[in-house]
Amino acid sequence: MPGNLISQRPSISREEKLYLLTSASVLALSDLPEERSLAYEIAARIIETSVEDPSLISASIFIMSRLGNFPGRELAIKRFFHDSTSIADHPLLAIESIAREVGNTVQVAGQSCTLTDFQIDFFSILEKSDSASISAPTSAGKSFVL
């Protein structure tokens, strides 16, 4: 029965979660999509399993920023902190997160718009080319860029 699988998941210790987050932080810097995807999966799973530990959630949110996944980051902030000021545990990490967001923000029709890494790459291609072909999974944000 699928419902029983959730209750049978083994729990992992806080130390193991910290190790995973450290790994995810490094993987988030990779240029390889598989490694970046793994970093996202780790961060998302840590968020799901660490409701009682705001510092683990903050670290996961930082990884979302590092990955350029601002929609995921904002969803986690709203769900657990209600505003982004609650997550700035370390000033250097906060600066990196802000810089990453600024780097992914574009001006369109007089409005600022923060894009994911995929979207900013797609946007840059569209700015430089007369035509482009793009393939990405559902919910990657193709329509939003257009």
Side-chain angles (χ1 to χ4, degrees):
M1 229 190 228
N4 291 337
L5 292 177
I6 292 173
S7 63
Q8 293 175 3
R9 283 187 199 165
S11 63
I12 61 173
S13 69
R14 186 173 195 282
E15 290 73 27
E16 290 168 320
K17 289 178 182 181
L18 287 170
Y19 179 80
L20 286 167
L21 285 169
T22 300
S23 300
S25 181
V26 173
L27 291 168
L29 296 171
S30 175
D31 291 329
L32 300 174
E34 315 78 52
E35 291 181 355
R36 293 175 56 80
S37 180
L38 184 56
Y40 170 79
E41 289 296 327
I42 291 169
R45 300 293 184 251
I46 297 295
I47 288 172
E48 289 175 9
T49 61
S50 301
V51 177
E52 75 291 342
D53 194 333
S55 64
L56 291 178
I57 294 172
S58 290
S60 297
I61 289 171
F62 169 74
I63 291 167
M64 296 283 189
S65 291
R66 184 171 268 184
L67 289 166
N69 186 338
F70 302 107
R73 179 193 70 177
E74 292 308 310
L75 181 63
I77 289 170
K78 285 178 186 168
R79 186 171 170 202
F80 296 102
F81 295 107
H82 310 294
D83 66 64
S84 58
T85 59
S86 305
I87 66 162
D89 290 339
H90 192 284
L92 293 177
L93 299 181
I95 290 169
E96 181 181 331
S97 292
I98 291 166
R100 193 83 165 92
E101 187 171 349
V102 168
N104 279 39
T105 300
V106 295
Q107 297 292 321
V108 179
Q111 293 185 347
S112 291
C113 189
T114 303
L115 305 176
T116 65
D117 283 3
F118 165 78
Q119 290 170 328
I120 199 76
D121 290 344
F122 183 25
F123 186 83
S124 297
I125 290 169
L126 291 176
E127 278 189 318
K128 296 174 188 170
S129 303
D130 292 333
S131 63
S133 174
I134 197 83
S135 175
T138 302
S139 298
K142 301 178 293 287
S143 300
F144 184 75
V145 172
L146 291 172

PDB file of all heavy atoms in Angstrom, residues 125-140:
ATOM      1  N   ILE A 125      19.196  33.852 -24.413  1.00  0.00           N
ATOM      2  CA  ILE A 125      19.187  33.318 -25.784  1.00  0.00           C
ATOM      3  C   ILE A 125      18.207  34.101 -26.642  1.00  0.00           C
ATOM      4  O   ILE A 125      18.509  34.479 -27.773  1.00  0.00           O
ATOM      5  CB  ILE A 125      18.844  31.811 -25.777  1.00  0.00           C
ATOM      6  CG1 ILE A 125      19.995  31.010 -25.190  1.00  0.00           C
ATOM      7  CG2 ILE A 125      18.497  31.316 -27.182  1.00  0.00           C
ATOM      8  CD1 ILE A 125      19.656  29.554 -24.883  1.00  0.00           C
ATOM      9  N   LEU A 126      17.027  34.368 -26.108  1.00  0.00           N
ATOM     10  CA  LEU A 126      16.008  35.105 -26.859  1.00  0.00           C
ATOM     11  C   LEU A 126      16.454  36.531 -27.165  1.00  0.00           C
ATOM     12  O   LEU A 126      16.133  37.074 -28.226  1.00  0.00           O
ATOM     13  CB  LEU A 126      14.682  35.121 -26.099  1.00  0.00           C
ATOM     14  CG  LEU A 126      13.959  33.789 -25.989  1.00  0.00           C
ATOM     15  CD1 LEU A 126      12.711  33.935 -25.115  1.00  0.00           C
ATOM     16  CD2 LEU A 126      13.583  33.237 -27.360  1.00  0.00           C
ATOM     17  N   GLU A 127      17.196  37.146 -26.244  1.00  0.00           N
ATOM     18  CA  GLU A 127      17.692  38.508 -26.467  1.00  0.00           C
ATOM     19  C   GLU A 127      18.732  38.558 -27.584  1.00  0.00           C
ATOM     20  O   GLU A 127      18.794  39.532 -28.327  1.00  0.00           O
ATOM     21  CB  GLU A 127      18.332  39.063 -25.194  1.00  0.00           C
ATOM     22  CG  GLU A 127      17.356  39.613 -24.204  1.00  0.00           C
ATOM     23  CD  GLU A 127      18.064  40.341 -23.070  1.00  0.00           C
ATOM     24  OE1 GLU A 127      19.098  39.840 -22.574  1.00  0.00           O
ATOM     25  OE2 GLU A 127      17.560  41.398 -22.681  1.00  0.00           O
ATOM     26  N   LYS A 128      19.524  37.495 -27.719  1.00  0.00           N
ATOM     27  CA  LYS A 128      20.639  37.479 -28.663  1.00  0.00           C
ATOM     28  C   LYS A 128      20.297  36.875 -30.011  1.00  0.00           C
ATOM     29  O   LYS A 128      21.047  37.038 -30.962  1.00  0.00           O
ATOM     30  CB  LYS A 128      21.812  36.704 -28.056  1.00  0.00           C
ATOM     31  CG  LYS A 128      22.386  37.341 -26.812  1.00  0.00           C
ATOM     32  CD  LYS A 128      23.431  36.451 -26.181  1.00  0.00           C
ATOM     33  CE  LYS A 128      23.866  36.994 -24.843  1.00  0.00           C
ATOM     34  NZ  LYS A 128      24.696  36.069 -24.097  1.00  0.00           N
ATOM     35  N   SER A 129      19.193  36.149 -30.107  1.00  0.00           N
ATOM     36  CA  SER A 129      18.888  35.394 -31.325  1.00  0.00           C
ATOM     37  C   SER A 129      17.549  35.809 -31.913  1.00  0.00           C
ATOM     38  O   SER A 129      16.649  36.226 -31.202  1.00  0.00           O
ATOM     39  CB  SER A 129      18.821  33.902 -31.007  1.00  0.00           C
ATOM     40  OG  SER A 129      20.023  33.465 -30.423  1.00  0.00           O
ATOM     41  N   ASP A 130      17.462  35.645 -33.237  1.00  0.00           N
ATOM     42  CA  ASP A 130      16.186  35.886 -33.899  1.00  0.00           C
ATOM     43  C   ASP A 130      15.236  34.723 -33.697  1.00  0.00           C
ATOM     44  O   ASP A 130      14.019  34.895 -33.751  1.00  0.00           O
ATOM     45  CB  ASP A 130      16.398  36.107 -35.400  1.00  0.00           C
ATOM     46  CG  ASP A 130      17.128  37.414 -35.676  1.00  0.00           C
ATOM     47  OD1 ASP A 130      17.022  38.345 -34.847  1.00  0.00           O
ATOM     48  OD2 ASP A 130      17.804  37.504 -36.713  1.00  0.00           O
ATOM     49  N   SER A 131      15.794  33.532 -33.489  1.00  0.00           N
ATOM     50  CA  SER A 131      14.954  32.360 -33.254  1.00  0.00           C
ATOM     51  C   SER A 131      15.683  31.410 -32.305  1.00  0.00           C
ATOM     52  O   SER A 131      16.897  31.447 -32.182  1.00  0.00           O
ATOM     53  CB  SER A 131      14.635  31.648 -34.570  1.00  0.00           C
ATOM     54  OG  SER A 131      15.821  31.164 -35.160  1.00  0.00           O
ATOM     55  N   ALA A 132      14.900  30.579 -31.648  1.00  0.00           N
ATOM     56  CA  ALA A 132      15.483  29.617 -30.713  1.00  0.00           C
ATOM     57  C   ALA A 132      14.529  28.448 -30.559  1.00  0.00           C
ATOM     58  O   ALA A 132      13.317  28.586 -30.712  1.00  0.00           O
ATOM     59  CB  ALA A 132      15.726  30.268 -29.366  1.00  0.00           C
ATOM     60  N   SER A 133      15.088  27.301 -30.293  1.00  0.00           N
ATOM     61  CA  SER A 133      14.301  26.116 -29.993  1.00  0.00           C
ATOM     62  C   SER A 133      14.670  25.688 -28.583  1.00  0.00           C
ATOM     63  O   SER A 133      15.846  25.619 -28.240  1.00  0.00           O
ATOM     64  CB  SER A 133      14.634  25.003 -30.997  1.00  0.00           C
ATOM     65  OG  SER A 133      13.974  23.818 -30.641  1.00  0.00           O
ATOM     66  N   ILE A 134      13.657  25.419 -27.777  1.00  0.00           N
ATOM     67  CA  ILE A 134      13.926  25.088 -26.390  1.00  0.00           C
ATOM     68  C   ILE A 134      13.091  23.889 -25.977  1.00  0.00           C
ATOM     69  O   ILE A 134      11.964  23.731 -26.417  1.00  0.00           O
ATOM     70  CB  ILE A 134      13.640  26.307 -25.470  1.00  0.00           C
ATOM     71  CG1 ILE A 134      14.296  26.147 -24.119  1.00  0.00           C
ATOM     72  CG2 ILE A 134      12.199  26.587 -25.331  1.00  0.00           C
ATOM     73  CD1 ILE A 134      15.706  26.546 -24.086  1.00  0.00           C
ATOM     74  N   SER A 135      13.678  23.036 -25.173  1.00  0.00           N
ATOM     75  CA  SER A 135      12.969  21.882 -24.650  1.00  0.00           C
ATOM     76  C   SER A 135      13.253  21.815 -23.156  1.00  0.00           C
ATOM     77  O   SER A 135      14.397  21.912 -22.734  1.00  0.00           O
ATOM     78  CB  SER A 135      13.471  20.615 -25.345  1.00  0.00           C
ATOM     79  OG  SER A 135      12.876  19.483 -24.761  1.00  0.00           O
ATOM     80  N   ALA A 136      12.193  21.686 -22.391  1.00  0.00           N
ATOM     81  CA  ALA A 136      12.343  21.607 -20.931  1.00  0.00           C
ATOM     82  C   ALA A 136      11.094  20.959 -20.359  1.00  0.00           C
ATOM     83  O   ALA A 136      10.034  20.972 -20.992  1.00  0.00           O
ATOM     84  CB  ALA A 136      12.554  22.994 -20.343  1.00  0.00           C
ATOM     85  N   PRO A 137      11.204  20.418 -19.171  1.00  0.00           N
ATOM     86  CA  PRO A 137      10.042  19.769 -18.558  1.00  0.00           C
ATOM     87  C   PRO A 137       8.915  20.761 -18.257  1.00  0.00           C
ATOM     88  O   PRO A 137       9.129  21.966 -18.205  1.00  0.00           O
ATOM     89  CB  PRO A 137      10.583  19.182 -17.255  1.00  0.00           C
ATOM     90  CG  PRO A 137      12.019  19.521 -17.185  1.00  0.00           C
ATOM     91  CD  PRO A 137      12.386  20.351 -18.349  1.00  0.00           C
ATOM     92  N   THR A 138       7.743  20.211 -18.043  1.00  0.00           N
ATOM     93  CA  THR A 138       6.611  21.018 -17.619  1.00  0.00           C
ATOM     94  C   THR A 138       6.980  21.758 -16.334  1.00  0.00           C
ATOM     95  O   THR A 138       7.699  21.232 -15.499  1.00  0.00           O
ATOM     96  CB  THR A 138       5.393  20.100 -17.360  1.00  0.00           C
ATOM     97  OG1 THR A 138       5.122  19.387 -18.557  1.00  0.00           O
ATOM     98  CG2 THR A 138       4.186  20.887 -16.928  1.00  0.00           C
ATOM     99  N   SER A 139       6.534  22.971 -16.215  1.00  0.00           N
ATOM    100  CA  SER A 139       6.771  23.825 -15.048  1.00  0.00           C
ATOM    101  C   SER A 139       8.190  24.380 -14.977  1.00  0.00           C
ATOM    102  O   SER A 139       8.595  24.914 -13.932  1.00  0.00           O
ATOM    103  CB  SER A 139       6.443  23.118 -13.738  1.00  0.00           C
ATOM    104  OG  SER A 139       5.093  22.781 -13.699  1.00  0.00           O
ATOM    105  N   ALA A 140       8.964  24.299 -16.058  1.00  0.00           N
ATOM    106  CA  ALA A 140      10.303  24.877 -16.059  1.00  0.00           C
ATOM    107  C   ALA A 140      10.238  26.399 -16.181  1.00  0.00           C
ATOM    108  O   ALA A 140      11.187  27.095 -15.828  1.00  0.00           O
ATOM    109  CB  ALA A 140      11.160  24.307 -17.190  1.00  0.00           C
TER     110      ALA A 140
END
